[in-house]
Amino acid sequence: MDLGIKGKWALVCGASKGLGLGCAQALAAEGVNLLIVARGTEALEASATNLRATYAANTGAEVLFCAQDITTVAGREAVFAMRRDFDIVVTNAGGPPPGDFRDWDREAWIKAVDANMLTPIELIKATVDGMAARGFGRIVNITSSSVKSPIDILGLSNGARSGLTGFVAGVARSSLAAKGVTINNLLPGKFDTDRIATTVKAAAAKSGKSVEEVRASQQAQIPMGRYGTPAEFGQVCAFLCSQQAAYMTGQNVLLDGGAFTGTF
C-alpha cells in the first residue's frame, strides 16, 4: 500500500536502535526523508548508513543524523539548527529506570517528567504550527502500554507518560485537527529491545528468578506467545503517519500482542 508520504520530512527520535529505528526503517521504506536523532554517535551513524544503503536507492529517501540528547535544550537547538520544518515527528526518549517508588527523590521524578512528558511537548510546540500552515502534519509519540495498564516497577514511567497522554488528548482536538495535523500515541507492550532486557533483569532480581525464566513467563502471558519486533512496531507508526490515517487523532494505539485485558 502506498501511504502517500513519499518526499515528506520526518524527525525520528531515539532512532539508533529498537523501536525508534523500526519507525525510521518503515518511514524510509515509504520514501520519507529522515533526520534521525539519538545520543550515541557511533550507533546513530551506523544506523544512518544502513538506512541509506537499504532504502535510498529504491525510494530516494534522504537520511541525515544528529547525535544529541533530545531531552535537553541544547540538543533540541542542534536538531532544529539542521532543519526546522518537519511534516512528521516521532517523539521517543528512553524510559526512566525501574524500581521502588520509595527510593525515588524529587530529582528522579523531575528527570522522568522532563524526558517523557515535557520533551515531547516541546517538540510538538516547535513543529505543529508549521505543519498546520502547510496543511499536513503527523506527530506520533512513543509512550508505553503502562498508560493503560500500569506496571508496578515502572512508576516513574507510569506517571510521566500518563501526563503526556492527558496533554495530547486536549491538543490533538484543538484547531490543529481541522488543519490536517494529527497527534497520536503509540503504546508498545513487550517488544524484544534493550528496554525489555533492562526491565526483565529488574524483575528477575526482584523475584529471585533467572532472566530466562522471567522472559519465558512474560511471553507465556502474551496471547501471541512472544515479544513484538521493532519492524512490526515501525509499520504501525508509518500507518499513523500516512494519508490514510488522516481522520485519526488523539488516539492511544496499543501494540501488546493482546496482553491488555481492560475495557478502555
Side-chain angles (χ1 to χ4, degrees):
M1 179 187 294
D2 181 359
L3 299 184
I5 50 178
K6 184 175 182 178
K8 301 292 188 184
W9 269 96
L11 170 63
V12 184
C13 302
S16 62
K17 58 185 178 180
L19 300 183
L21 179 57
C23 293
Q25 290 169 334
L27 290 171
E30 293 295 324
V32 175
N33 301 312
L34 302 175
L35 173 53
I36 59 173
V37 183
R39 288 175 294 183
T41 302
E42 186 175 343
L44 185 64
E45 185 173 6
S47 294
T49 299
N50 289 334
L51 286 165
R52 293 186 191 111
T54 304
Y55 303 105
N58 294 327
T59 68
E62 186 175 349
V63 181
L64 307 177
F65 70 92
C66 184
Q68 292 287 338
D69 183 349
I70 198 66
T71 69
T72 67
V73 173
R76 291 190 291 274
E77 288 178 346
V79 167
F80 289 121
M82 290 187 66
R83 185 178 184 89
R84 178 159 291 277
D85 293 333
F86 293 98
D87 308 294
I88 295 166
V89 174
V90 180
T91 77
N92 178 31
D100 189 312
F101 76 95
R102 298 171 183 83
D103 299 327
W104 297 323
D105 57 14
R106 178 178 175 79
E107 183 179 353
W109 279 106
I110 294 299
K111 186 175 181 180
V113 170
D114 193 36
N116 299 119
M117 178 182 171
L118 298 181
T119 291
I121 291 173
E122 289 294 334
L123 293 172
I124 292 168
K125 184 169 68 173
T127 56
V128 289
D129 289 335
M131 293 176 178
R134 294 186 296 274
F136 179 92
R138 299 287 186 267
I139 292 176
V140 178
N141 302 300
I142 300 178
T143 64
S144 171
S145 63
S146 66
V147 170
K148 285 184 176 287
S149 183
I151 301 168
D152 60 347
I153 62 172
L154 296 181
L156 291 171
S157 179
N158 297 340
R161 297 188 193 279
S162 293
L164 176 63
T165 302
F167 169 79
V168 168
V171 73
R173 294 171 173 85
S174 70
S175 60
L176 292 166
K179 296 176 181 177
V181 180
T182 69
I183 308 176
N184 293 290
N185 301 319
L186 196 46
L187 284 54
K190 290 182 169 61
F191 280 76
D192 209 357
T193 64
D194 289 351
R195 175 66 170 170
I196 199 70
T198 299
T199 58
V200 164
K201 185 177 180 180
K206 183 178 179 180
S207 65
K209 297 179 180 179
S210 69
V211 167
E212 291 73 20
E213 288 174 319
V214 173
R215 282 179 63 92
S217 175
Q218 287 186 355
Q219 292 183 75
Q221 293 171 21
I222 300 170
M224 290 188 178
R226 62 177 178 85
Y227 293 141
T229 69
E232 291 171 320
F233 188 87
Q235 290 294 330
V236 178
C237 178
F239 169 74
L240 290 177
C241 297
S242 72
Q243 297 283 0
Q244 288 86 341
Y247 201 56
M248 186 175 183
T249 195
Q251 301 304 306
N252 294 296
V253 181
L254 182 64
L255 277 76
D256 68 349
F260 179 64
T261 58
T263 57
F264 63 91

